[in-house]
């Protein structure tokens, strides 16, 4: 007998929630139970535009979603500045939380979120979809292979897209009162996560922001970058920007191997994704070519990565509900480390590009 | 009637000279006329091992090559610390000079080289082979296309290889008295050149070295990196290392386009090379994929890039000889800018990773 699906309520009518709504529908262990917006008209239109089932409850406030006894968990794609308020409320109402990134304005706010979730026994997971693609697991195996990859030496990540004038004027990600971290919080989140993931979540000792970040008139970051240093000599760099063509690169170089992926956040295609790997690359005689050459590796998936994310979140929620166990701390820990490093990058920018120690 | 080939003398029996010897033979307008080593036995063995024609003159000193009236030009792959001495002597003997990179220990020494070449009317070109591949021209056209690429926003370059223990102990590139710039001079030269090339040789305003460079016991750089800033907001990063798997990436991101090449210094294959380009990349509906996707572009070549380099050098020499014209200043200018930026990176490392202005 199939398990009862985890019933999810959605707070707000964010654009990204359209993608996650589809993921909730695709995931075999979840269902959309409710959506709430400050405007019930907006919520109705959104439900209709996105072909929600007629059984989905439509509410004219976020509170009503949280008060619905049939909602097991909520998906929160609200502006970052609202995260602490609504996650804490949701946790108090015993709702498990799938939270959009960046998880908070800073780690101190995120710690309030973690505390609320822990003390109320609810699962917390952030919405970093690519973590759940089977390609990510395959790349992990490559990086962890001491013969094929060896010791990690450097990581380089880029995430940029060329925002249109409307975005640069009106999107929440350029508003200091909504997503104050701008491109750093949005795109830099993915870069930072990818670097930490590559380094098996070992925190860097210090981070130094690159000179020359670009701000909008309100002081929100539109483009920036940083270099990370680890105790053992590993280094990483990232660059993120709202002002350049869509690019999402992750490059990891080890003593024996190299990993390249050029669509790490959102794969070019839904059902099939590629990463390029090289092991013990060297030159041909007279350095006229390479032998061996790097090779492409294809990983297929039936479900898109966002549905796999939702499925994993619901699996954890189900396990808590069924066995009355404690939430899994793996995901909040990873979220917190990512936020901690973002905070350090921001601090380095604020301190005139001085190195900032990353203190857990 | 075919022109008389330019007769080239080679100073020293460097490993890289084997590749360039083949290139001189492949190039239709050049011939190997002489090789000199401090040990005539070594020179004889080298000539034999590399199947030199029996007509090639074998000398037991560099001076004898320079004194050979039939030598039109010399190829100098000597350790960097010897460049200024031997290029100045060669120029005084009216020999045109193809010079291995890095061109000098610093720009002040390179200026002596430039002065000697200019005042003696001889052509100077550095040995950066990839500049001469037809792929490079195709990539240039892409970068210069305001519709396909737009305005350059960031460049990211990596060149690493995993040197074996013998290299790390004995190679001239880890010896402070021979190639004092270590990995920065060897690999960082290519990264810096690729960044300047991408930026159409506009010098950055300042460079800031990354913290955490790695030195050997003698104080020679084994791994380092830096960030460059331009007045208009462009940024670039590079990372180079003797301690990581062979990797050579150039990534350029413009407002409308992205360029990726993963073998920019030495193409994977001799006769065919690929670059990946993307224009106005964006997401599919619901951000479940990309449309359009980046695409691969293949460029073929009959002659390998090093033979095209030799051919271009000889073409310039021929033009000077035939028309008594002045040497072309394009190549020395590019070499000097590359050296200038290397100097600034080194200065930034020496100054504790402070930003260093690049002053022409």
């Amino acid at each position: 007998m199939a398990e009862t699906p985890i019933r999810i309520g959605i707070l707000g009518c964010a654009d990204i929630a359209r993608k996650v709504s589809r993921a909730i529908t695709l995931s075999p262990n979840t269902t959309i139970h409710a959506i709430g917006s400050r405007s019930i008209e907006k919520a109705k239109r959104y439900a209709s535009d996105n072909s929600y089932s007629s059984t989905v409850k439509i509410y004219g406030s976020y509170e009503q979603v949280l008060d619905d006894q049939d909602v097991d968990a909520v998906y929160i794609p609200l502006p970052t500045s609202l995260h602490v308020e609504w996650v804490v409320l949701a946790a108090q109402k015993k709702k498990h939380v799938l939270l959009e990134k960046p998880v908070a304005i800073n780690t101190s706010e995120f710690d309030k979120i973690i505390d609320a979730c822990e003390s109320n026994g609810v699962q917390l997971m952030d919405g970093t979809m690519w973590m759940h693609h089977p390609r990510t697991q395959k790349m992990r195996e490559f990086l962890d292979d001491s013969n094929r990859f060896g010791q990690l030496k450097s990581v380089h990540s880029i995430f940029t897209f060329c925002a249109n004038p409307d975005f640069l004027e009106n999107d929440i990600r350029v508003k200091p009162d909504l997503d104050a971290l701008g491109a750093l919080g949005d795109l830099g989140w993915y870069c930072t996560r990818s670097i930490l993931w590559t380094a098996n979540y070992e925190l860097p000792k210090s981070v130094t922001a690159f000179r020359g970040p670009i701000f909008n008139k309100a002081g929100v970051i539109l483009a920036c970058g940083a270099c990370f240093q680890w105790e053992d000599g590993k280094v990483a760099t990232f660059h993120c920007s709202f002002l350049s063509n869509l690019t999402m690169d992750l490059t990891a170089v080890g003593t024996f191997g190299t990993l390249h992926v050029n669509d790490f956040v959102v794969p070019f295609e839904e059902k099939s994704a590629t990463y390029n790997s090289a092991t013990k690359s060297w030159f041909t005689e007279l350095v006229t070519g390479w032998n061996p050459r790097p090779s492409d590796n294809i990983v297929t998936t039936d479900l898109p990565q966002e549905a796999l994310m939702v499925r994993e979140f619901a699996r954890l929620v189900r396990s808590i509900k069924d066995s009355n166990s404690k939430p899994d701390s793996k995901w909040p820990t990873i979220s917190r480390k990512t936020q901690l490093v973002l905070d350090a990058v921001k601090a380095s920018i604020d301190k005139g590009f001085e190195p900032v120690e990353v203190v857990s």
Side-chain angles (χ1 to χ4, degrees), chain A residues 230-251:
Chain A
W230 281 260
E231 201 76 66
D232 68 356
K234 269 196 302 285
V235 292
T237 62
F238 82 83
H239 171 75
C240 65
S241 173
F242 286 147
L243 306 172
S244 308
N245 187 52
L246 179 61
T247 303
M248 30 176 103
D249 292 358
L250 175 62
T251 304

Side-chain angles (χ1 to χ4, degrees), chain A residues 32 128 154 176 186 213 239 261 282 326 341:
Chain A
I32 304 174
T128 311
S154 76
D186 186 26
H239 171 75
V261 55
W282 200 246
K326 286 176 72 173
V341 174

Side-chain angles (χ1 to χ4, degrees), chain A residues 278-298:
Chain A
T279 293
K280 294 174 185 163
S281 309
W282 200 246
F283 299 111
T284 54
E285 169 67 5
L286 290 188
V287 193
T288 57
W290 295 41
N291 184 27
R293 292 177 53 166
S295 59
D296 281 335
N297 310 271
I298 299 170

